[in-house]
Amino acid sequence: MRLDLADLHLFLCIVDSGSITAGAARANLALASASERMRNMESVAGVALLERRSRGSVTTEAGEALAHHARLILRQQDILNSELQDFAVGARGTIHLYTNTAALTEFLPSRLAPWLADRPRLRIALKERTSADIVRAIHSGLAEAGIVSDAINAEGLELHPVAKDHLVLIVPRNHPLAQRDRVHLSEVLDHPFVGLSQGSALQDHIDDQARAAGSLLDYRIRMKTYKGVCEMVDHGIGIGILPQDIARRYRRRYAYRTLLLTDGWARRQLCLCFRDWKTLSAPMQSLLAHLGADTNTL
């Protein structure tokens, strides 16, 4: 049998209304067209589906079976349409968002939580990368969008600032630099450092800046978390570089001094980065609009 969804819909309209005439009207078809389609359905099925009577039509045993399965098929179609609509408006599926370390740890959690709570069928895959890696991924088409530092060269891409992300130096209270308010990275390259674990996008970025200044940082130890870095600096193990908001938060627990880094690359803003708003998927547009993209200018 080859019955399309329109045939099944018409058949149920006839069954539910009790006559071909009323069923045709409910299905927005002319009576002649509806009658012809019913004859074709019965011809394809090879069995009568309706018993015509003077006051209407009733289903045969075969017609009852068809009506049962037609309801299941059309109900499944409604579910499918609903799910596809969810995908279209960004309420279902998986969004792959590339992000640097600062955005991953500080900016995104509070922004994503309420948005995801309203979309229980949606998943987000966060991929931690350096800002440079994210820009390359977007340029090459491997990523739709990401969150990067504005210190990166993103020529040809859209950048929309959403948060400040200045980097600072933290030093033990008794450190020779503790009485200063600001410092340039080149002034501290010969000091022992406490860093984040290898693979951290932020630490990779800092290492790149140190190499550009002509040196490699001397790590006494690398820690997996910002908290671990702060605790090590508090105990005099070395100095470290962290986002300003994180350094401010942990200073309540650990006794270290915070110095502003005067390097241009350290005075950063977090930016949404993408190639062209019009080519983004609907789910990604919805997410970026929530994160702060100014859609009035796009």
Side-chain angles (χ1 to χ4, degrees):
M1 292 180 63
R2 293 188 177 181
L3 301 177
D4 61 28
L5 295 177
D7 289 333
L8 299 180
H9 175 66
L10 170 62
F11 184 69
L12 289 180
C13 286
I14 294 172
V15 171
D16 292 340
S17 62
S19 74
I20 296 178
T21 301
R26 182 177 293 187
N28 295 315
L29 291 174
L31 176 59
S33 177
S35 297
E36 178 66 21
R37 294 189 73 156
M38 277 305 309
R39 285 193 292 272
N40 290 339
M41 290 172 64
E42 291 181 318
S43 175
V44 170
V47 64
L49 300 172
L50 294 174
E51 182 181 335
R52 279 78 169 175
R53 297 179 179 178
S54 58
R55 295 186 178 181
S57 301
V58 296
T59 54
T60 63
E61 188 172 350
E64 282 293 333
L66 177 59
H68 169 72
H69 288 287
R71 294 187 198 282
L72 295 177
I73 291 170
L74 293 179
R75 187 177 302 120
Q76 194 64 38
Q77 183 204 22
D78 287 340
I79 294 172
L80 173 60
N81 288 339
S82 176
E83 290 189 5
L84 291 179
Q85 180 64 19
D86 284 348
F87 282 112
V89 300
R92 178 188 288 266
T94 301
I95 300 175
H96 297 269
L97 182 66
Y98 286 66
T99 172
N100 64 11
T101 306
L104 182 63
T105 55
E106 286 296 297
F107 173 72
L108 284 174
S110 62
R111 296 292 186 96
L112 287 181
W115 192 78
L116 272 178
D118 291 336
R119 295 162 177 80
R121 297 175 179 177
L122 186 68
R123 293 173 174 80
I124 294 182
L126 296 176
K127 300 177 183 293
E128 183 183 0
R129 301 288 190 275
T130 66
S131 293
D133 287 341
I134 295 171
V135 166
R136 282 193 291 267
I138 296 173
H139 268 304
S140 64
L142 296 176
E144 271 198 285
I147 303 179
V148 302
S149 161
D150 66 346
I152 195 68
N153 180 8
E155 184 176 357
L157 302 178
E158 296 275 354
L159 288 181
H160 289 254
V162 290
K164 290 183 179 180
D165 180 40
H166 295 178
L167 297 178
V168 297
L169 185 77
I170 62 172
V171 303
R173 286 175 299 179
N174 59 353
H175 194 275
L177 296 171
Q179 302 307 311
R180 296 182 57 176
D181 294 324
R182 57 191 68 233
V183 69
H184 195 277
L185 179 64
S186 61
E187 300 179 73
V188 298
L189 292 176
D190 57 344
H191 289 270
F193 270 78
V194 177
L196 292 166
S197 300
Q198 290 183 335
S200 161
L202 174 60
Q203 201 62 62
D204 289 347
H205 174 64
I206 295 170
D207 289 343
D208 289 342
Q209 299 304 323
R211 279 191 291 269
S215 179
L216 296 177
L217 298 185
D218 174 21
Y219 292 109
R220 289 194 65 193
I221 190 170
R222 289 176 178 263
M223 304 301 296
K224 188 175 182 60
T225 65
Y226 289 128
K227 177 179 178 294
V229 172
C230 293
E231 188 166 4
M232 287 292 169
V233 172
D234 178 36
H235 281 79
I237 307 303
I239 62 178
I241 298 177
L242 298 177
Q244 188 173 40
D245 288 344
I246 292 174
R248 185 181 297 119
R249 182 201 311 167
Y250 283 111
R251 194 168 56 191
R252 303 166 188 167
R253 184 183 308 178
Y254 301 109
Y256 51 73
R257 288 275 297 158
T258 301
L259 288 70
L260 292 177
L261 281 169
T262 58
D263 304 76
W265 56 266
R267 298 191 297 274
R268 315 186 304 175
Q269 290 190 93
L270 292 178
C271 297
L272 304 178
C273 179
F274 50 88
R275 183 185 296 275
D276 185 347
W277 181 263
K278 295 179 181 178
T279 64
L280 295 175
S281 64
M284 183 63 78
Q285 286 184 348
S286 176
L287 173 59
L288 296 189
H290 173 76
L291 293 179
D294 184 2
T295 57
N296 293 323
T297 65
L298 297 170

